[in-house]
Amino acid sequence: MKRRELLLGAAAAGTLGFPAVLKAQQYKAEYKMSTVVPPAFAWGKGGEIFANLVRERTSGRINIKQYPGSSLVQGDQTREFSAMRQGIIDVLCGAPINWSGTVRQLGVFTLPFITPDHKALDAVLASPAVMDDYFDLVRKAGAEPLAVGETGFRQISNSKRPIIKPEDMKGIKIRVVGSPMYGEIMNSMGANPTFMSWADAQPALASGAVDAQENPLEVFLAAKIHTLGQKYVTKWNYSNDILLFAIANPIWQGWSAQDQKIVRGAAQDAARQQIAIVRKLFAEDVERVRALGVDVHVPTPAELNTWQIACRRVYARWKVEVNASLIGKMEQVVEKTRKA
Ligand code: X2X
């Protein structure tokens, strides 16, 4: 429904009174949602499901339009959060790692091996001690958090050689997202990281300007990264960001309580579906990537241990940089899953 119709509707109803008319004025014809990737990827699909559910359940009162390729910020995903604060983006469906330059304390999920498997991640996401704090931080940063999906465990791919142990990373030019922490992880293993948006990463891989990248294999498959000369994959599961569904505070506050409830429910349903898609692909990804002729190395537990040791110093430093108290709570939750 258009803004004008809403106003007329409220005025015609008469009994609604002045405050209701004011409230109606808050609704926009379109709410802009940024996603880095389009619906052909699980992440973009999550955004699409969310927008569709909201449109259906509000009878079109709330019309969320998806802008994939981070196009609202000219492809520079690191600017999403500040653009949301400026009113350019209304709806976030994104990975906090991309916002680490704006709101570093939201980057707790991406520390290397903080949630080494789905059991650990699920325990963290189900922990009110962790998630209540996290959602409070999101609110203070400028958005109402609604639900949490999963972007997926990130794996290294490269064009040079099989990467079995940390030393194999020496001299590898690797593209990472604009997160200084990922840069340090790569540096600590002797690789040469370059920060680059997703839009720039694919041409850089194709031209050989960089040798390597790290992304969930779901992304590797959807973007056909094997066609960009990436012949070797290491499934080390070092980092798995959430997919945060959130609404810019001023937009959220302009919606009726009933619509807020509908939108939150839609985000929760979309997140559940999105996680199911990511996990189904995670279970099949080794086979599917191998079928493309790519060499996939799945580390043994002993090898994984070596990777975790290699990341320890960076972990310790970034725990303090990001949010030591919240990360401490996450560690306790994960520790319990190990004993269980
Ligand atoms: O740019 C990437 O690597 C991506 C799509 O995974 C993120 O936005 C974090």
Side-chain angles (χ1 to χ4, degrees):
M1 199 186 293
K2 301 252 158 50
R3 195 183 123 180
R4 201 178 130 71
E5 288 168 48
L6 270 168
L7 283 170
L8 288 176
T15 49
L16 288 177
F18 191 57
V21 175
L22 266 188
K23 187 129 230 168
Q25 283 179 320
Q26 314 280 337
Y27 283 72
K28 297 205 278 186
E30 174 188 304
Y31 295 95
K32 293 181 165 45
M33 173 171 68
S34 179
T35 58
V36 178
V37 288
F41 297 64
W43 170 341
K45 189 78 194 163
E48 184 185 67
I49 295 169
F50 175 46
N52 286 340
L53 288 177
V54 169
R55 202 172 298 114
E56 278 163 35
R57 294 179 187 176
T58 62
S59 316
R61 239 184 349 270
I62 296 179
N63 172 34
I64 296 177
K65 178 154 186 229
Q66 182 167 13
Y67 289 83
S70 318
S71 60
L72 295 167
V73 283
Q74 292 73 47
D76 182 358
Q77 65 229 54
T78 63
R79 284 171 39 217
E80 273 183 339
F81 206 89
S82 53
M84 183 278 297
R85 283 174 168 171
Q86 290 161 6
I88 297 163
I89 289 171
D90 303 311
V91 180
L92 293 168
C93 175
I97 193 72
N98 283 329
W99 315 325
S100 56
T102 319
V103 280
R104 182 168 286 175
Q105 75 274 21
L106 298 184
V108 293
F109 294 95
T110 34
L111 256 75
F113 301 106
I114 187 162
T115 55
D117 49 37
H118 280 124
K119 192 176 170 195
L121 179 63
D122 284 342
V124 167
L125 297 183
S127 157
V130 173
M131 294 314 288
D132 289 354
D133 277 14
Y134 190 79
F135 276 17
D136 278 349
L137 287 170
V138 176
R139 277 187 199 104
K140 280 191 197 119
E144 177 61 26
L146 304 178
V148 164
E150 175 181 343
T151 55
F153 282 107
R154 303 181 74 87
Q155 324 296 3
I156 295 179
S157 75
N158 87 99
S159 58
K160 297 285 182 201
R161 55 179 176 259
I163 306 277
I164 314 292
K165 47 190 187 311
E167 300 85 80
D168 296 331
M169 288 295 286
K170 273 214 175 76
I172 294 268
K173 284 182 278 173
I174 182 162
R175 173 269 170 178
V176 289
V177 291
S179 146
M181 187 196 67
Y182 280 170
E184 266 181 44
I185 292 171
M186 299 307 163
N187 266 324
S188 73
M189 295 186 294
N192 300 324
T194 308
F195 301 105
M196 222 180 263
S197 70
W198 173 242
D200 292 339
Q202 294 162 85
L205 289 166
S207 72
V210 294
D211 310 315
Q213 63 88 43
E214 51 71 67
N215 247 303
L217 292 183
E218 182 266 314
V219 171
F220 185 97
L221 286 162
K224 302 189 170 52
I225 302 233
H226 67 288
T227 64
L228 308 177
Q230 297 288 288
K231 297 191 208 114
Y232 306 96
V233 163
T234 305
K235 190 171 179 177
W236 65 326
N237 297 341
Y238 86 119
S239 186
N240 186 352
D241 208 358
I242 59 166
L243 181 66
L244 180 68
F245 294 76
I247 310 287
N249 276 340
I251 301 292
W252 180 253
Q253 282 149 16
W255 289 343
S256 69
Q258 191 205 354
D259 282 339
Q260 288 178 345
K261 196 166 163 224
I262 294 174
V263 174
R264 191 182 298 283
Q268 286 164 346
D269 290 347
R272 252 191 302 277
Q273 292 185 43
Q274 190 272 340
I275 287 176
I277 299 169
V278 165
R279 295 200 182 174
K280 182 171 182 294
L281 283 158
F282 182 82
E284 302 166 352
D285 59 14
V286 172
E287 229 169 278
R288 287 182 54 183
V289 174
R290 279 185 182 148
L292 301 170
V294 175
D295 177 300
V296 181
H297 180 67
V298 180
T300 63
E303 284 167 353
L304 268 182
N305 198 36
T306 317
W307 287 105
Q308 296 191 6
I309 291 168
C311 290
R312 255 187 210 152
R313 273 188 40 201
V314 177
Y315 182 104
R317 204 179 91 67
W318 281 88
K319 178 177 173 181
V320 178
E321 287 274 334
V322 175
N323 189 331
S325 79
L326 185 51
I327 290 168
K329 287 187 189 177
M330 291 170 71
E331 287 166 349
Q332 282 174 16
V333 173
V334 172
E335 192 52 38
K336 274 200 204 132
T337 70
R338 299 241 168 81
K339 287 180 192 137

